[in-house]
Amino acid sequence: MPVQHHYEAYITRTNGPLVLVRIRDLTELRRAEELRADFVANASHELRTPLAAVTGFIDTLRGHAKDDGPARERFLEIMSVEAGRMRRLIEDLLSLTRIELNEHNPPAGEVDVASVVRDAAAVLAPLADEDRISIQIDPCESLKVVGDRDELTQVFQNLIHNAIKYGRSGGEVRIRFGRAEAPSKREGGGQVLVSVQDEGEGIPREAIPRLTERFYRVDVKRSRERGGTGLGLAIVKHILNRHKGRLQIESVPGEGSTFTVSLPAVQTTAEPSV
Ligand SMILES: Nc1ncnc2c1ncn2[C@@H]1O[C@H](COP(=O)(O)OP(=O)(O)OP(=O)(O)O)[C@@H](O)[C@H]1O
Ligand SMILES: [Mg+2]
C-alpha cells in the first residue's frame, strides 16, 4: 500500500558559495495529528448517539408521555441504559489515557497471573451463566510475572468478556497456561503464556490486525447491543506494551478464536541478567 510522506525543507543562502538545505521528515507528526483527529471524531460520535437518545426521551417525557405511567417507566429504563453506555465510554477513555501516559514507566510488582485469571473469570461467571457458557480454567500453580495486578486484571477481564460475548451460547471458554523459553539470555526468565479460547463465530482474517485499534469493531451493531464501546482490546494492547508483553490472535471463522497473552516471567534463578 503506498504511504504518503510529508517533508519540510528550508533553503538558506550562506555568505559563501554554498546553499544550506535542511529537510525535516514530518510524516510521523502528521500521522499522529490524523490519529488524534480521528480519535476525537470517533469519541464524539460514540457519545452523540446515546446523548441524542436521552435528549429525545426527555422531550417525549415532557410532552405526550407526560401522564402515561407505563411509557414513562419504559423510557426511563432506556435512558438509564444509554446513560450507562456514556459512563462506560468515558471510563474507558480515561483508562486508556491513563495507561498511555504511563506506558513508558514499566511496572515493578510481582503478580501471580494464574490467580488474576481465576479472579477475572469469577467476576464474569454470572455473564457466562446468562449465555450458558462454561469457563474452563486449566489447573495451574503460581505463575509469577512482573506486572501491575489491577492492569493485568483489566487485560484478562476484557479477553474473557469478549470470549463470552462473541462465543457460542451453550459452548465453552477455555483458558490455558504455559511457558516459553526466553528468545535470548538477555530476556531473563522467559515468557508466561495465557490463552483464552472460545467457540464463537471467529474473526475474518483481514480484521485481525485491526482489532486493537480504538473503536474498531467487526460488527458494530452486535458490539453495541452488548454494551461494547470498541475500546477493550485497545486498552489490552496498551497495558501489554507497558508490561513488555504481547497479544497474539488466531481465529478460524466458524470455529472460534484464541487470544494468547505473553508476559515476561519473574526470573527465578540467581543468575544476573546481562
Ligand atoms: N473472542 C472474539 N471473537 C470474535 N470477535 C471478537 C472477539 N474479541 C473481539 N472481537 C471483535 O473485536 C472487536 C473489538 O473488541 P473490543 O474488545 O476492543 O471491543 P468491544 O468488545 O466491541 O467493546 P468493549 O470491549 O469496549 O466493551 C469486537 O467488537 C469484535 O468484533
Ligand atoms: Mg471487548
Side-chain angles (χ1 to χ4, degrees):
M1 205 166 51
V3 179
Q4 201 174 15
H5 286 265
H6 297 268
Y7 297 99
E8 190 177 62
Y10 292 96
I11 305 176
T12 325
R13 200 176 297 162
T14 61
N15 286 334
L18 299 177
V19 170
L20 190 68
V21 180
R22 193 160 62 100
I23 298 173
R24 262 179 82 199
D25 185 350
L26 298 181
T27 313
E28 276 304 309
L29 201 68
R30 286 280 155 82
R31 217 180 105 70
E33 279 168 10
E34 277 166 23
L35 282 179
R36 199 162 43 231
D38 278 358
F39 177 60
V40 173
N42 279 327
S44 322
H45 176 77
E46 290 298 324
L47 280 170
R48 200 176 292 139
T49 318
L51 191 59
V54 171
T55 318
F57 284 119
I58 291 175
D59 290 343
T60 316
L61 286 172
R62 280 186 171 146
H64 68 262
K66 203 170 173 177
D67 302 313
D68 181 346
R72 199 166 54 219
E73 280 311 307
R74 215 170 53 243
F75 295 158
L76 283 172
E77 176 57 32
I78 302 173
M79 287 165 76
S80 153
V81 169
E82 295 299 325
R85 185 194 297 282
M86 285 192 274
R87 200 199 57 240
R88 253 193 328 274
L89 181 62
I90 291 166
E91 277 167 6
D92 283 354
L93 286 172
L94 288 175
S95 171
L96 197 52
T97 309
R98 210 174 37 241
I99 295 158
E100 258 186 312
L101 285 176
N102 218 1
E103 201 165 313
H104 300 292
N105 174 18
E110 280 189 16
V111 182
D112 171 15
V113 208
S115 95
V116 170
V117 167
R118 281 192 291 268
D119 290 352
V123 168
L124 292 161
L127 281 181
D129 286 346
E130 272 175 31
D131 282 341
R132 291 176 296 107
I133 288 180
S134 87
I135 304 181
Q136 301 291 335
I137 307 180
D138 279 4
C140 174
E141 306 208 330
S142 142
L143 268 183
K144 289 269 172 65
V145 301
V146 182
D148 174 306
R149 190 176 177 101
D150 288 345
E151 288 192 356
L152 292 179
T153 301
Q154 234 177 319
V155 165
F156 293 108
Q157 280 188 354
N158 273 320
L159 294 180
I160 300 170
H161 193 186
N162 281 348
I164 296 169
K165 276 201 288 192
Y166 309 109
R168 183 170 61 85
S169 165
E172 199 174 84
V173 167
R174 181 166 282 276
I175 302 172
R176 295 187 173 85
F177 301 98
R179 276 183 186 275
E181 287 303 311
S184 70
K185 266 236 163 75
R186 240 189 121 88
E187 316 236 346
Q191 303 280 312
V192 162
L193 308 176
V194 184
S195 66
V196 181
Q197 182 178 23
D198 65 59
E199 300 174 337
E201 281 165 30
I203 305 157
R205 198 184 175 80
E206 63 284 2
I208 291 182
R210 301 201 56 194
L211 292 191
T212 56
E213 284 175 21
R214 292 154 198 219
F215 299 114
Y216 181 81
R217 282 160 289 190
V218 177
D219 180 343
V220 176
K221 190 162 165 278
R222 174 144 183 228
S223 160
R224 280 226 181 95
E225 276 166 9
R226 313 276 325 232
T229 60
L231 290 175
L233 289 177
I235 293 176
V236 167
K237 183 181 84 177
H238 284 283
I239 295 179
L240 292 180
N241 282 348
R242 179 170 181 240
H243 283 74
K244 305 234 175 321
R246 275 165 46 98
L247 176 68
Q248 195 191 344
I249 307 170
E250 288 157 302
S251 184
V252 181
E255 286 183 21
S257 314
T258 307
F259 287 69
T260 305
V261 168
S262 52
L263 287 161
V266 168
Q267 265 179 294
T268 45
T269 59
E271 268 176 50
S273 63
V274 237

